[in-house]
Amino acid sequence: MVYPDNFENKIGFDRIRSQVKALCVTQGAVDKLFEAAFSDDYESVVARLGQVFEMRTVLMMDNGLPEGSFVDMDAFLKKGAVEGSFLDVGELAALRKGLAMVHGLVAFFNARTDEQYPQLRALCSRVDGFPEIINHIDSIVDKFGKVRDNASAELFSLRRTIRDRESQVSRRLQQIMGQAQASGIVDGDVSVSIREGRAVIPVAAKTVYIEPIEVVELNNELKALEYEERREVVRILTRFTDAIRPDLPRIRESGDFLTTMDFIRAKARFALANDCTLPIVENRSSIRLIRARHTLLAQTLRREGKEIVPLDLTLTDDKHILVISGPNAGGKSVCLKTVGLLQYMLQKGFLVSVSENSEMGIFKDIFIDIGDEQSIENDLSTYSSHLLNMKNILRSAGERSLILIDEFGTGTEPIIGGAIAEALLEKFE
């Protein structure tokens, strides 16, 4: 459980997610970013963190990671699953790019050892790059995204006939235009034009385009041939889509793998840009932060040419309550927000801004009461809001809960606020 509902906004995670979103190439990766849940399952958290840390290592130290296209394939694969439908030429080209990227990623990680990238190799073990489908697409579509002449014998014959008729039309029009220019009907510097798919001669004196009777039949035949060409292209694409339809569920799995890798890469790129790494993750509710930094504050200070002051903090089973005191603007709230942000990021599968020898556990819940939560709508004072938060926290918190409270006594007399704060501490001793 994470409390309150606006927890992400209060600690700044919403801004971090926006930055990672900008690093995603595919919409599928963006969807995964927003679907990523806070988890208290140790194995799941460790696996997700391991994937990002391995990708961070690849980006930082390894060579040869494919730089091809991360492609969203799900939408047109759903379309192709419908009987009688077909993937168009652009979708075939996108499918080819996506499968080639999958094939390249699988080959890259399979060429490494389990000791290097165990988590990413495990992801690759469940997907297929479908080289035979890539070859099939290559036999239909060229590198410019056009259907090849030899995609079928019928298409080859049609296009050869079309080129022959186009040549006949061009030669006849040039003859007619030469005669018209000699007689002064057509300007000497004009050329044959195409209007509504038909070759015509511009006549300047009347500002009209004339289709000579001698080429009308040829133009009509060309139109019929072009229609037949389009029908043949549709037949080719339909045959291809029918052929791969049985494989579409597995192809969609490969597409999901591709957007997953895009998501992991986006998190790894964010980690590199913000000096985030993988701490020691333990299956217990404890924290030992070394040189921890609030990621967003570090960004702001870096832009200003300033250094952030890192913090060290320890919470254990024996010493699980930490009271921070000091003057205003002394960093108390920043400390609390840093702990909340980093712990939340960790359990969402993000690397964090700490020293690698930091130790971070797994909490079932995170509760935070930081800042002025005065509600005009509910006529709650700042202090009343604190009390309401305490009520909800006390009702829901358990042994594996991380609770962060800032300035609990705000809004009332110090003696009363202090007494209530002491009572709360006694509850969790």
Side-chain angles (χ1 to χ4, degrees), residues 247-268:
D247 294 317
L248 286 181
R250 291 194 303 125
I251 296 174
R252 289 181 67 183
E253 290 176 5
S254 293
D256 183 69
F257 162 82
L258 194 59
T259 56
T260 297
M261 294 296 278
D262 182 22
F263 175 40
I264 293 170
R265 191 184 72 151
K267 290 194 290 183

PDB file of all heavy atoms in Angstrom, residues 247-268:
ATOM      1  N   ASP A 247       1.101 -17.870 -36.778  1.00  0.00           N
ATOM      2  CA  ASP A 247       2.233 -17.480 -35.925  1.00  0.00           C
ATOM      3  C   ASP A 247       2.002 -16.165 -35.190  1.00  0.00           C
ATOM      4  O   ASP A 247       2.865 -15.748 -34.401  1.00  0.00           O
ATOM      5  CB  ASP A 247       3.510 -17.338 -36.771  1.00  0.00           C
ATOM      6  CG  ASP A 247       3.975 -18.665 -37.349  1.00  0.00           C
ATOM      7  OD1 ASP A 247       3.945 -19.652 -36.602  1.00  0.00           O
ATOM      8  OD2 ASP A 247       4.357 -18.688 -38.533  1.00  0.00           O
ATOM      9  N   LEU A 248       0.878 -15.495 -35.435  1.00  0.00           N
ATOM     10  CA  LEU A 248       0.678 -14.160 -34.869  1.00  0.00           C
ATOM     11  C   LEU A 248       0.737 -14.121 -33.339  1.00  0.00           C
ATOM     12  O   LEU A 248       1.297 -13.161 -32.787  1.00  0.00           O
ATOM     13  CB  LEU A 248      -0.644 -13.566 -35.363  1.00  0.00           C
ATOM     14  CG  LEU A 248      -0.648 -13.095 -36.823  1.00  0.00           C
ATOM     15  CD1 LEU A 248      -1.996 -12.495 -37.186  1.00  0.00           C
ATOM     16  CD2 LEU A 248       0.456 -12.071 -37.075  1.00  0.00           C
ATOM     17  N   PRO A 249       0.194 -15.106 -32.615  1.00  0.00           N
ATOM     18  CA  PRO A 249       0.334 -15.041 -31.149  1.00  0.00           C
ATOM     19  C   PRO A 249       1.792 -14.993 -30.701  1.00  0.00           C
ATOM     20  O   PRO A 249       2.150 -14.203 -29.814  1.00  0.00           O
ATOM     21  CB  PRO A 249      -0.369 -16.323 -30.675  1.00  0.00           C
ATOM     22  CG  PRO A 249      -1.374 -16.609 -31.744  1.00  0.00           C
ATOM     23  CD  PRO A 249      -0.698 -16.226 -33.019  1.00  0.00           C
ATOM     24  N   ARG A 250       2.641 -15.806 -31.322  1.00  0.00           N
ATOM     25  CA  ARG A 250       4.059 -15.799 -30.947  1.00  0.00           C
ATOM     26  C   ARG A 250       4.757 -14.540 -31.444  1.00  0.00           C
ATOM     27  O   ARG A 250       5.677 -14.036 -30.795  1.00  0.00           O
ATOM     28  CB  ARG A 250       4.762 -17.044 -31.483  1.00  0.00           C
ATOM     29  CG  ARG A 250       4.337 -18.343 -30.794  1.00  0.00           C
ATOM     30  CD  ARG A 250       5.277 -19.489 -31.100  1.00  0.00           C
ATOM     31  NE  ARG A 250       5.394 -19.739 -32.529  1.00  0.00           N
ATOM     32  CZ  ARG A 250       6.547 -19.767 -33.188  1.00  0.00           C
ATOM     33  NH1 ARG A 250       7.686 -19.533 -32.559  1.00  0.00           N
ATOM     34  NH2 ARG A 250       6.565 -20.009 -34.480  1.00  0.00           N
ATOM     35  N   ILE A 251       4.341 -14.021 -32.590  1.00  0.00           N
ATOM     36  CA  ILE A 251       4.925 -12.769 -33.088  1.00  0.00           C
ATOM     37  C   ILE A 251       4.563 -11.627 -32.135  1.00  0.00           C
ATOM     38  O   ILE A 251       5.386 -10.749 -31.852  1.00  0.00           O
ATOM     39  CB  ILE A 251       4.434 -12.466 -34.511  1.00  0.00           C
ATOM     40  CG1 ILE A 251       4.923 -13.539 -35.488  1.00  0.00           C
ATOM     41  CG2 ILE A 251       4.930 -11.094 -34.968  1.00  0.00           C
ATOM     42  CD1 ILE A 251       4.370 -13.399 -36.890  1.00  0.00           C
ATOM     43  N   ARG A 252       3.345 -11.650 -31.629  1.00  0.00           N
ATOM     44  CA  ARG A 252       2.942 -10.613 -30.668  1.00  0.00           C
ATOM     45  C   ARG A 252       3.757 -10.716 -29.385  1.00  0.00           C
ATOM     46  O   ARG A 252       4.072  -9.692 -28.761  1.00  0.00           O
ATOM     47  CB  ARG A 252       1.447 -10.718 -30.369  1.00  0.00           C
ATOM     48  CG  ARG A 252       0.571 -10.279 -31.534  1.00  0.00           C
ATOM     49  CD  ARG A 252      -0.898 -10.379 -31.215  1.00  0.00           C
ATOM     50  NE  ARG A 252      -1.311  -9.430 -30.198  1.00  0.00           N
ATOM     51  CZ  ARG A 252      -2.536  -9.342 -29.701  1.00  0.00           C
ATOM     52  NH1 ARG A 252      -3.479 -10.163 -30.142  1.00  0.00           N
ATOM     53  NH2 ARG A 252      -2.840  -8.452 -28.793  1.00  0.00           N
ATOM     54  N   GLU A 253       4.134 -11.928 -28.987  1.00  0.00           N
ATOM     55  CA  GLU A 253       5.017 -12.082 -27.831  1.00  0.00           C
ATOM     56  C   GLU A 253       6.373 -11.433 -28.098  1.00  0.00           C
ATOM     57  O   GLU A 253       6.958 -10.786 -27.221  1.00  0.00           O
ATOM     58  CB  GLU A 253       5.203 -13.562 -27.497  1.00  0.00           C
ATOM     59  CG  GLU A 253       3.965 -14.227 -26.917  1.00  0.00           C
ATOM     60  CD  GLU A 253       4.177 -15.719 -26.682  1.00  0.00           C
ATOM     61  OE1 GLU A 253       5.319 -16.193 -26.896  1.00  0.00           O
ATOM     62  OE2 GLU A 253       3.217 -16.396 -26.280  1.00  0.00           O
ATOM     63  N   SER A 254       6.858 -11.598 -29.326  1.00  0.00           N
ATOM     64  CA  SER A 254       8.121 -10.948 -29.695  1.00  0.00           C
ATOM     65  C   SER A 254       7.966  -9.437 -29.695  1.00  0.00           C
ATOM     66  O   SER A 254       8.884  -8.703 -29.303  1.00  0.00           O
ATOM     67  CB  SER A 254       8.580 -11.433 -31.075  1.00  0.00           C
ATOM     68  OG  SER A 254       8.931 -12.807 -31.036  1.00  0.00           O
ATOM     69  N   GLY A 255       6.805  -8.947 -30.141  1.00  0.00           N
ATOM     70  CA  GLY A 255       6.543  -7.512 -30.106  1.00  0.00           C
ATOM     71  C   GLY A 255       6.498  -6.988 -28.683  1.00  0.00           C
ATOM     72  O   GLY A 255       6.996  -5.891 -28.392  1.00  0.00           O
ATOM     73  N   ASP A 256       5.918  -7.775 -27.765  1.00  0.00           N
ATOM     74  CA  ASP A 256       5.880  -7.378 -26.365  1.00  0.00           C
ATOM     75  C   ASP A 256       7.284  -7.363 -25.776  1.00  0.00           C
ATOM     76  O   ASP A 256       7.633  -6.473 -24.984  1.00  0.00           O
ATOM     77  CB  ASP A 256       4.983  -8.342 -25.579  1.00  0.00           C
ATOM     78  CG  ASP A 256       4.844  -7.942 -24.126  1.00  0.00           C
ATOM     79  OD1 ASP A 256       4.208  -6.904 -23.860  1.00  0.00           O
ATOM     80  OD2 ASP A 256       5.383  -8.654 -23.247  1.00  0.00           O
ATOM     81  N   PHE A 257       8.101  -8.329 -26.165  1.00  0.00           N
ATOM     82  CA  PHE A 257       9.506  -8.354 -25.745  1.00  0.00           C
ATOM     83  C   PHE A 257      10.218  -7.078 -26.199  1.00  0.00           C
ATOM     84  O   PHE A 257      10.999  -6.480 -25.455  1.00  0.00           O
ATOM     85  CB  PHE A 257      10.194  -9.585 -26.332  1.00  0.00           C
ATOM     86  CG  PHE A 257      11.703  -9.518 -26.342  1.00  0.00           C
ATOM     87  CD1 PHE A 257      12.445  -9.822 -25.212  1.00  0.00           C
ATOM     88  CD2 PHE A 257      12.389  -9.158 -27.499  1.00  0.00           C
ATOM     89  CE1 PHE A 257      13.825  -9.761 -25.226  1.00  0.00           C
ATOM     90  CE2 PHE A 257      13.768  -9.097 -27.520  1.00  0.00           C
ATOM     91  CZ  PHE A 257      14.493  -9.394 -26.385  1.00  0.00           C
ATOM     92  N   LEU A 258       9.936  -6.635 -27.416  1.00  0.00           N
ATOM     93  CA  LEU A 258      10.604  -5.461 -27.970  1.00  0.00           C
ATOM     94  C   LEU A 258      10.249  -4.204 -27.177  1.00  0.00           C
ATOM     95  O   LEU A 258      11.122  -3.396 -26.850  1.00  0.00           O
ATOM     96  CB  LEU A 258      10.218  -5.290 -29.439  1.00  0.00           C
ATOM     97  CG  LEU A 258      11.066  -4.314 -30.267  1.00  0.00           C
ATOM     98  CD1 LEU A 258      12.522  -4.735 -30.261  1.00  0.00           C
ATOM     99  CD2 LEU A 258      10.534  -4.250 -31.689  1.00  0.00           C
ATOM    100  N   THR A 259       8.969  -4.031 -26.846  1.00  0.00           N
ATOM    101  CA  THR A 259       8.585  -2.849 -26.066  1.00  0.00           C
ATOM    102  C   THR A 259       9.091  -2.961 -24.624  1.00  0.00           C
ATOM    103  O   THR A 259       9.399  -1.943 -23.998  1.00  0.00           O
ATOM    104  CB  THR A 259       7.054  -2.649 -26.078  1.00  0.00           C
ATOM    105  OG1 THR A 259       6.398  -3.834 -25.602  1.00  0.00           O
ATOM    106  CG2 THR A 259       6.566  -2.333 -27.476  1.00  0.00           C
ATOM    107  N   THR A 260       9.194  -4.192 -24.110  1.00  0.00           N
ATOM    108  CA  THR A 260       9.787  -4.379 -22.782  1.00  0.00           C
ATOM    109  C   THR A 260      11.244  -3.944 -22.776  1.00  0.00           C
ATOM    110  O   THR A 260      11.701  -3.252 -21.853  1.00  0.00           O
ATOM    111  CB  THR A 260       9.683  -5.842 -22.345  1.00  0.00           C
ATOM    112  OG1 THR A 260       8.301  -6.217 -22.227  1.00  0.00           O
ATOM    113  CG2 THR A 260      10.367  -6.079 -21.001  1.00  0.00           C
ATOM    114  N   MET A 261      11.986  -4.331 -23.804  1.00  0.00           N
ATOM    115  CA  MET A 261      13.390  -3.936 -23.901  1.00  0.00           C
ATOM    116  C   MET A 261      13.518  -2.425 -24.084  1.00  0.00           C
ATOM    117  O   MET A 261      14.452  -1.802 -23.563  1.00  0.00           O
ATOM    118  CB  MET A 261      14.065  -4.678 -25.047  1.00  0.00           C
ATOM    119  CG  MET A 261      14.179  -6.180 -24.845  1.00  0.00           C
ATOM    120  SD  MET A 261      15.220  -6.635 -23.445  1.00  0.00           S
ATOM    121  CE  MET A 261      16.848  -6.520 -24.176  1.00  0.00           C
ATOM    122  N   ASP A 262      12.596  -1.830 -24.807  1.00  0.00           N
ATOM    123  CA  ASP A 262      12.578  -0.373 -24.964  1.00  0.00           C
ATOM    124  C   ASP A 262      12.372   0.293 -23.606  1.00  0.00           C
ATOM    125  O   ASP A 262      13.045   1.280 -23.262  1.00  0.00           O
ATOM    126  CB  ASP A 262      11.472   0.023 -25.943  1.00  0.00           C
ATOM    127  CG  ASP A 262      11.399   1.524 -26.206  1.00  0.00           C
ATOM    128  OD1 ASP A 262      12.414   2.214 -25.992  1.00  0.00           O
ATOM    129  OD2 ASP A 262      10.330   1.984 -26.649  1.00  0.00           O
ATOM    130  N   PHE A 263      11.459  -0.245 -22.810  1.00  0.00           N
ATOM    131  CA  PHE A 263      11.178   0.277 -21.470  1.00  0.00           C
ATOM    132  C   PHE A 263      12.401   0.137 -20.566  1.00  0.00           C
ATOM    133  O   PHE A 263      12.798   1.085 -19.871  1.00  0.00           O
ATOM    134  CB  PHE A 263       9.974  -0.473 -20.888  1.00  0.00           C
ATOM    135  CG  PHE A 263       9.638  -0.124 -19.465  1.00  0.00           C
ATOM    136  CD1 PHE A 263       9.700   1.183 -19.006  1.00  0.00           C
ATOM    137  CD2 PHE A 263       9.250  -1.119 -18.578  1.00  0.00           C
ATOM    138  CE1 PHE A 263       9.377   1.497 -17.690  1.00  0.00           C
ATOM    139  CE2 PHE A 263       8.932  -0.817 -17.266  1.00  0.00           C
ATOM    140  CZ  PHE A 263       9.002   0.492 -16.823  1.00  0.00           C
ATOM    141  N   ILE A 264      13.023  -1.035 -20.593  1.00  0.00           N
ATOM    142  CA  ILE A 264      14.212  -1.265 -19.773  1.00  0.00           C
ATOM    143  C   ILE A 264      15.339  -0.324 -20.194  1.00  0.00           C
ATOM    144  O   ILE A 264      16.034   0.254 -19.353  1.00  0.00           O
ATOM    145  CB  ILE A 264      14.663  -2.734 -19.886  1.00  0.00           C
ATOM    146  CG1 ILE A 264      13.616  -3.661 -19.248  1.00  0.00           C
ATOM    147  CG2 ILE A 264      16.023  -2.947 -19.225  1.00  0.00           C
ATOM    148  CD1 ILE A 264      13.853  -5.135 -19.520  1.00  0.00           C
ATOM    149  N   ARG A 265      15.516  -0.155 -21.501  1.00  0.00           N
ATOM    150  CA  ARG A 265      16.571   0.734 -21.990  1.00  0.00           C
ATOM    151  C   ARG A 265      16.311   2.176 -21.563  1.00  0.00           C
ATOM    152  O   ARG A 265      17.242   2.910 -21.205  1.00  0.00           O
ATOM    153  CB  ARG A 265      16.670   0.655 -23.514  1.00  0.00           C
ATOM    154  CG  ARG A 265      17.918   1.348 -24.057  1.00  0.00           C
ATOM    155  CD  ARG A 265      17.965   1.344 -25.562  1.00  0.00           C
ATOM    156  NE  ARG A 265      16.977   2.248 -26.154  1.00  0.00           N
ATOM    157  CZ  ARG A 265      17.120   2.852 -27.322  1.00  0.00           C
ATOM    158  NH1 ARG A 265      18.210   2.637 -28.056  1.00  0.00           N
ATOM    159  NH2 ARG A 265      16.187   3.643 -27.796  1.00  0.00           N
ATOM    160  N   ALA A 266      15.050   2.610 -21.594  1.00  0.00           N
ATOM    161  CA  ALA A 266      14.721   3.973 -21.167  1.00  0.00           C
ATOM    162  C   ALA A 266      15.091   4.182 -19.693  1.00  0.00           C
ATOM    163  O   ALA A 266      15.665   5.217 -19.321  1.00  0.00           O
ATOM    164  CB  ALA A 266      13.236   4.257 -21.391  1.00  0.00           C
ATOM    165  N   LYS A 267      14.775   3.196 -18.848  1.00  0.00           N
ATOM    166  CA  LYS A 267      15.135   3.308 -17.428  1.00  0.00           C
ATOM    167  C   LYS A 267      16.650   3.296 -17.242  1.00  0.00           C
ATOM    168  O   LYS A 267      17.186   4.014 -16.378  1.00  0.00           O
ATOM    169  CB  LYS A 267      14.485   2.173 -16.630  1.00  0.00           C
ATOM    170  CG  LYS A 267      12.978   2.290 -16.501  1.00  0.00           C
ATOM    171  CD  LYS A 267      12.416   1.362 -15.437  1.00  0.00           C
ATOM    172  CE  LYS A 267      12.502  -0.096 -15.838  1.00  0.00           C
ATOM    173  NZ  LYS A 267      11.878  -0.987 -14.831  1.00  0.00           N
ATOM    174  N   ALA A 268      17.343   2.494 -18.051  1.00  0.00           N
ATOM    175  CA  ALA A 268      18.804   2.434 -17.947  1.00  0.00           C
ATOM    176  C   ALA A 268      19.438   3.744 -18.390  1.00  0.00           C
ATOM    177  O   ALA A 268      20.413   4.216 -17.784  1.00  0.00           O
ATOM    178  CB  ALA A 268      19.332   1.271 -18.785  1.00  0.00           C
TER     179      ALA A 268
END
